[in-house]
Amino acid sequence: MFLIPCPYCGTRDQSEFAYGGQAHVARPEDPASLSDAEWAEFVFFRDNPKGLFAERWNHASGCRRWFNVLRSTASDRIYAAYEIGTPPPAIEGDGPATPSGEVVGSGNDAVKLVKTADEGTRP
Amino acid sequence: MLDPRRRSPLAHRMPIRAASGAVSLAEWPFLSKLIVRCQAGRDATAVEAVTGVALPTTACTSATAGERSLLWLGPDEWMLVAPDGEAAALETDLRAALTGPHTQVVDVSDYYTVITLTGARGRDVLARLVTIDLHPRHFAKGRVVGTLAGAVNLLVWLRDESDAAGPVFDVIVRASMADHVWCLMAEAGRAFGCPAQEPRGGERLRGALEDVA
């Protein structure tokens, strides 16, 4: 469980929100001209990064508005919440990385790194 | 024309009052409620002309003039609260006044009912149900917040607050969920002296039987 900063209402508990999947997935201009593979790509295939991920959330129990959130899937740290239709803000890096370049966080148990001061700022 | 046979969703519940007066719970039935959707910049003057209340544009706030209030629900959505019997006229007038695109006026008086929670320990009762910060510094008079209590969506409105009477919360709930929320609040109030209460009908409070026996 974590807190999500709704851009309209302020920070609330995650239980008030509904998840909407990856953000900034543009619907094809002319779906009829796409091949089945291209259409399947749009309908079913989404990024699954470990680290920064732009996703849509709906404040279902509050103002009931959709908005975008920039979250690290490794640490659940939320870097920004911004309105639909605006581009994601530029974020530099996502905390310390392993020697292989992976973001440290939950699920990265194989490579335990010394916890840095940055850990303390996570929500 | 109001039907004289109408019955409020919590008609089978009697008001509950702790002996100390720290908490009391009552339904506020038949309040007129309308959902108003419009653009604040364009339609604020039209809404104020009809209702007499200035449109609150700050998130989670409300504005009151006389017996009418406008509650902020979203950046383009408000709930108008008015005394019993005014809904039909307000709906007609607002529809005539709001003619632009993306406007909507719906009478939801019968869809919601209001549970009024008063008393010095009102915040403590509510804090057992919701995750929002109810501290007076954060949740001041006039604040209105949509939130979740268990599985139920609530609109929590701090209508009034004074040193003498304490906070006056209005919890606006869907009619079908009203009895469930009433039971949740009554049970939360048991910790602050609310007596077990047998309903005039319907679902019994959990634990009420043991106390009576």
Side-chain angles (χ1 to χ4, degrees), chain A residues 15-99:
Chain A
S15 58
E16 292 188 10
F17 295 85
Y19 186 65
Q22 184 177 358
H24 309 299
V25 180
R27 185 181 171 84
E29 292 275 332
D30 183 14
S33 68
L34 296 186
S35 69
D36 285 354
E38 287 168 325
W39 182 246
E41 181 77 23
F42 163 70
V43 174
F44 300 113
F45 287 76
R46 294 291 180 265
D47 296 340
N48 184 24
K50 183 169 188 177
L52 278 184
F53 189 43
E55 54 198 12
R56 297 179 302 175
W57 285 86
N58 177 253
H59 193 185
S61 300
C63 60
R64 303 201 305 283
R65 293 305 179 282
W66 286 96
F67 59 96
N68 296 329
V69 164
L70 202 55
R71 178 177 69 99
S72 166
T73 56
S75 63
D76 271 348
R77 177 172 172 180
I78 291 174
Y79 286 85
Y82 50 102
E83 292 179 21
I84 291 283
T86 53
I91 300 292
E92 284 185 25
D94 178 29
T98 65

Side-chain angles (χ1 to χ4, degrees), chain A residues 8-9 12-13 15-16 59-65, chain B residues 37 59-60 73 75-77 131 145-148 153:
Chain A
Y8 305 106
C9 303
R12 300 288 184 81
D13 193 85
S15 58
E16 292 188 10
H59 193 185
S61 300
C63 60
R64 303 201 305 283
R65 293 305 179 282
Chain B
R37 296 199 68 166
C60 302
L73 301 188
D76 61 352
E77 185 173 6
T131 57
V145 157
T147 186
L148 197 66
N153 284 339

Side-chain angles (χ1 to χ4, degrees), chain B residues 78-118:
Chain B
W78 289 266
M79 181 184 275
L80 173 62
V81 170
D84 183 18
E86 291 189 5
L90 279 171
E91 186 182 21
T92 312
D93 293 349
L94 276 171
R95 281 197 178 154
L98 298 175
T99 51
H102 302 296
T103 56
Q104 186 183 41
V105 180
V106 184
D107 178 2
V108 292
S109 303
D110 302 332
Y111 184 56
Y112 292 99
T113 191
V114 182
I115 301 172
T116 303
L117 171 69
T118 51

